[in-house]
Amino acid sequence: GEVQKAGSMADPVKRDHAAVVQALKTQMTMEMKQLQARMDLVDRMQSKTREQKLDMLFSLWDRDQSGALVFSEVAAGIRHMISALDPDIEFDVDSDEILALCADGASEGLAKLGSEQKEGSGADAGHVTISREKFTGLMDAVCSRIGTDFEVVAELLVLQYVGWSVDDAVDDAVDLVALKLVEYEAEEEIRVEKRFQKSLESDELLKLFKHFDRSQDMRVDFKELAMGLDSLRTLEDAPFEESVESALGALLIFDEDCTRSLNYVQFGRFMLTFAAAAGTTIEKLAPLLLEVASEKAAAEPEELRHMKSKAMDAIMRDLAEAEREVLTANDARADALFVLFDRDENGYVDFKELALGLKLFNPSAGLEDTAVVATAMLLAHDSSGDQRLDRKEFGAFLADFCATVGSDFDELADFLVVAALAGRTEGDDGVDAAILAEIQPSVAADIKASQKTLAGK
């Protein structure tokens, strides 16, 4: 009886073991069949032409088999391409960022190659779509952006859709739903971009660009933009200063390559915004603006135009100076110099520290001459009036010093740091510091008196 009992307890274990083995065999058989199917597909694809491979991939991207790709289908297809070519990207980049990148790529492709389907034209009615004929151009553009060739990766892109796991299918469905949720908004932006691309081909916009581009260098700089905007206002309109402000705002928004000027495409985007604010199109607005400009040119006195041009030259000089100060102040070498000048490490550079620092750059200069330069610089840049320079004021001093010696900060920065370090290794010159403290009041008084005389006071 005990033997029978032990045997009856062992039977379920044997049966479970047999079931596990059978399940593993079944799973391995399915995996082998899937692998064989993938290998067979590779063999078949190797014998296919480029167009046949594109046909196959287009069919896989076309989820609803409508014969055209909508935004969500293009973005999902690009998503699969990225995953196939860089499997590790999932570990390095957030999935939402990847999806946003794919959505941007889809929008760019549809704006350039897509066409809007009219209502009543089937499942994709009202959508911006890419046809099979345009799919070749899209695939070439995407592969070029990724840095590969379609012929090299065609098999891999198709194979990715074969033998999906349940997890793969779930992830794909989630991505597709997310893309569907933003599809309407994305298509509206695509339509705007397509209208803009069409506007770039219009003669009206080209004429307006040439009106602004007085130097005929195919770029509209700050002065040309401000003068051009002013020419579009009637004599009774807002003052010239508003044209300057509008030009500065346009450069801040549309000058993507930071050249302080707009190329034709950037100018077109600015004018598209200008037209949208007026509730019209570039094609309608441009002739009206040119007519206003022509009438104003005939009515505005030459002397007034000359005054505006001189005012713009002064504004551009001030902007260039301000930009130079900002760039200098933000340079890491400026921080290093400030630390080297600030000998007592109190966070400020006073007159003695400034003069001793300047003397390092020109050891042969007399102490009184150095004191004069240091005092003038201190008076010019001590905006807080506490007779010392903080970090920001020191940056303005550096920019002014470079302008005084006729050189860019980049050319002098390394030399200034090395010279300051070399001087500091020799120790502070207590005698020079004492002399500077003694002569500074009289030097400052002389400089202030000269400034008053020059100002006519």
Side-chain angles (χ1 to χ4, degrees), residues 39-55:
M39 294 299 296
D40 292 343
L41 181 59
V42 169
D43 291 338
R44 291 198 302 272
M45 287 196 66
Q46 287 177 345
S47 62
K48 292 183 180 296
T49 65
R50 185 175 192 272
E51 288 303 309
Q52 288 173 329
K53 293 175 184 178
L54 285 165
D55 286 338

Side-chain angles (χ1 to χ4, degrees), residues 407-420:
S407 179
D408 292 331
F409 180 70
D410 282 339
E411 297 176 3
L412 282 181
D414 293 332
F415 167 74
L416 299 182
V417 172
V418 172

Side-chain angles (χ1 to χ4, degrees), residues 284-340:
K284 293 179 180 179
L285 184 63
L288 298 176
L289 294 177
L290 290 171
E291 184 178 349
V292 170
S294 178
E295 292 175 356
K296 184 170 183 179
E300 187 175 59
E302 178 66 27
E303 183 179 353
L304 179 57
R305 285 200 296 273
H306 183 65
M307 289 176 59
K308 289 179 179 178
S309 179
K310 289 185 66 176
M312 278 305 306
D313 289 338
I315 291 171
M316 289 183 70
R317 285 195 298 271
D318 291 343
L319 286 174
E321 177 65 25
E323 181 183 32
R324 186 176 61 189
E325 289 185 6
V326 169
L327 291 175
T328 301
N330 290 335
D331 194 293
R333 291 164 295 185
D335 287 327
L337 280 168
F338 183 79
V339 171
L340 292 170

Side-chain angles (χ1 to χ4, degrees), residues 48-340:
K48 292 183 180 296
T49 65
R50 185 175 192 272
E51 288 303 309
Q52 288 173 329
K53 293 175 184 178
L54 285 165
D55 286 338
M56 188 175 296
L57 191 60
F58 180 84
S59 179
L60 291 169
W61 283 28
D62 185 13
R63 304 297 182 95
D64 58 5
Q65 298 301 301
S66 64
L69 304 178
V70 296
F71 166 80
S72 56
E73 292 172 331
V74 175
I78 295 174
R79 175 76 173 86
H80 282 288
M81 282 188 69
I82 293 175
S83 297
L85 298 175
D86 186 6
D88 295 332
I89 194 171
E90 306 289 348
F91 302 101
D92 301 329
V93 183
D94 183 76
S95 58
D96 289 339
E97 292 182 26
I98 298 174
L99 212 58
L101 178 67
C102 298
D104 290 342
S107 294
E108 183 178 340
L110 283 162
K112 291 181 178 179
L113 302 170
S115 57
E116 190 166 359
Q117 301 299 311
K118 297 180 180 179
E119 295 295 336
S121 58
D124 295 327
H127 290 284
V128 180
T129 65
I130 286 184
S131 64
R132 169 60 188 88
E133 290 73 22
K134 297 291 185 180
F135 182 68
T136 301
L138 173 68
M139 189 53 55
D140 288 340
V142 174
C143 287
S144 175
R145 182 68 61 88
I146 295 175
T148 187
D149 184 83
F150 178 73
E151 291 293 338
V152 176
V153 298
E155 290 84 358
L156 177 62
L157 298 180
V158 173
L159 282 174
Q160 193 187 28
Y161 291 87
V162 179
W164 267 6
S165 67
V166 174
D167 290 340
D168 291 334
V170 170
D171 290 342
D172 177 69
V174 170
D175 287 345
L176 196 61
V177 169
L179 291 167
K180 281 289 185 183
L181 289 175
V182 300
E183 188 166 63
Y184 177 81
E185 182 181 348
E187 286 187 339
E188 286 300 306
E189 294 177 358
I190 291 168
R191 291 186 182 95
V192 171
E193 181 64 20
K194 287 184 72 64
R195 286 196 293 270
F196 169 68
Q197 294 293 337
K198 185 177 180 181
S199 296
L200 290 178
E201 301 172 3
S202 69
D203 292 336
E204 291 80 4
L205 181 61
L206 184 58
K207 290 177 182 177
L208 196 59
F209 180 76
K210 289 180 177 179
H211 169 73
F212 275 74
D213 182 21
R214 302 188 180 196
S215 62
Q216 299 299 300
D217 61 353
M218 293 305 293
R219 297 195 74 92
V220 175
D221 63 25
F222 176 51
K223 179 179 179 180
E224 291 173 330
L225 192 57
M227 297 294 287
L229 287 173
D230 183 68
S231 73
L232 304 181
R233 302 173 185 266
T234 62
L235 292 175
E236 295 78 18
D237 266 348
F240 180 60
E241 287 76 9
E242 290 201 9
S243 297
V244 175
E245 292 177 4
S246 298
L248 186 57
L251 286 178
L252 289 173
I253 297 172
F254 299 101
D255 178 21
E256 298 175 351
D257 45 2
C258 299
T259 60
R260 296 188 298 280
S261 63
L262 303 180
N263 60 28
Y264 181 61
V265 174
Q266 293 165 343
F267 177 82
R269 293 195 184 281
F270 166 61
M271 291 310 303
L272 179 67
T273 305
F274 194 91
T280 184
T281 64
I282 292 177
E283 290 80 5
K284 293 179 180 179
L285 184 63
L288 298 176
L289 294 177
L290 290 171
E291 184 178 349
V292 170
S294 178
E295 292 175 356
K296 184 170 183 179
E300 187 175 59
E302 178 66 27
E303 183 179 353
L304 179 57
R305 285 200 296 273
H306 183 65
M307 289 176 59
K308 289 179 179 178
S309 179
K310 289 185 66 176
M312 278 305 306
D313 289 338
I315 291 171
M316 289 183 70
R317 285 195 298 271
D318 291 343
L319 286 174
E321 177 65 25
E323 181 183 32
R324 186 176 61 189
E325 289 185 6
V326 169
L327 291 175
T328 301
N330 290 335
D331 194 293
R333 291 164 295 185
D335 287 327
L337 280 168
F338 183 79
V339 171
L340 292 170

Side-chain angles (χ1 to χ4, degrees), residues 379 442-457:
L379 291 173
S442 61
V443 172
D446 291 342
I447 291 177
K448 287 180 179 179
S450 300
Q451 289 174 336
K452 288 181 180 180
T453 301
L454 291 172
K457 295 182 180 179

